[in-house]
Amino acid sequence: MTLQRVLPYTKSLLEQAVSPGDCVLDGTAGNGHDTYFLAELTGPSGKVFAFDIQAEAIKATSERVREFHHVELVHDSHDKIMNYVASPISAAVFNLGYLPKGDHSIITKAQSTLAALEQCLELLSVNGLLLVVVYSGHDGGREERDAVMEFVSSLPQKSFDVLKYEFINQKHSPPFLLAVEKKQKTP
């Protein structure tokens, strides 16, 4: 057995949480890799919402998922999820930080990320998963990492299980995964 890196482990968790016909969310569309993967998992009877504030990311994702007709691309901040998504979701995935090969000055920020995570937890079905890959090695990354860690650490144990998956002997702020499973409806 070999330990899975963060991104493959994230995908393996999504495979367990998402079934054909499900409604799911990609909170940071980026270059469309997670959106494509979610579209495959949900199949044509499902629904995938993918958010990004950058036109470049929406364009790249659109090109990547052009064969799928059940993907809705949203050129807006992920803190506006409830403006677009009303159905319960079985999973949501976020890759925090900046668009790979994009403008590194445009980053996810704590305030909008926390608002997005709160909305996802409200929409999440029981046994659903919220997956957040945290990149903190850039300007502003530590502040967002700390705010997200504080938020997920304070979630009530009765309603949520929270896992942190990381390699602790790697240098240069390697990414880590936060996985939140909803155990019961929150009051």
Side-chain angles (χ1 to χ4, degrees), residues 40-54:
E40 286 183 316
L41 292 175
T42 60
S45 62
K47 180 72 174 182
V48 180
F49 291 90
F51 288 77
D52 212 294
I53 60 168
Q54 295 184 69

Side-chain angles (χ1 to χ4, degrees), residues 25 51 77-87 89 115-124:
L25 189 142
F51 288 77
S77 174
H78 55 217
D79 69 355
K80 304 234 175 34
I81 288 169
M82 292 290 207
N83 294 352
Y84 300 92
V85 183
S87 305
I89 57 174
L117 299 181
E118 287 176 1
Q119 291 171 63
C120 284
L121 291 178
E122 191 173 322
L123 289 167
L124 206 58

Side-chain angles (χ1 to χ4, degrees), residues 60-154:
T61 300
S62 175
E63 290 170 6
R64 188 169 306 280
V65 301
R66 67 179 164 266
E67 70 192 74
F68 298 107
H69 302 288
H70 61 290
V71 174
E72 184 173 330
L73 300 176
V74 181
H75 185 195
D76 203 348
S77 174
H78 55 217
D79 69 355
K80 304 234 175 34
I81 288 169
M82 292 290 207
N83 294 352
Y84 300 92
V85 183
S87 305
I89 57 174
S90 62
V93 62
F94 290 76
N95 283 284
L96 304 182
Y98 52 80
L99 177 64
K101 299 180 183 155
D103 182 347
H104 292 196
S105 71
I106 302 172
I107 60 170
T108 54
K109 297 190 173 160
Q111 184 177 353
S112 61
T113 297
L114 294 179
L117 299 181
E118 287 176 1
Q119 291 171 63
C120 284
L121 291 178
E122 191 173 322
L123 289 167
L124 206 58
S125 302
V126 173
N127 299 321
L129 279 181
L130 168 60
L131 303 173
V132 183
V133 180
V134 179
Y135 294 85
S136 62
H138 58 279
D139 287 342
R142 288 187 193 136
E143 294 80 7
E144 184 179 38
R145 174 200 64 205
D146 294 348
V148 169
M149 283 298 299
E150 183 178 332
F151 172 73
V152 298
S153 296
S154 70

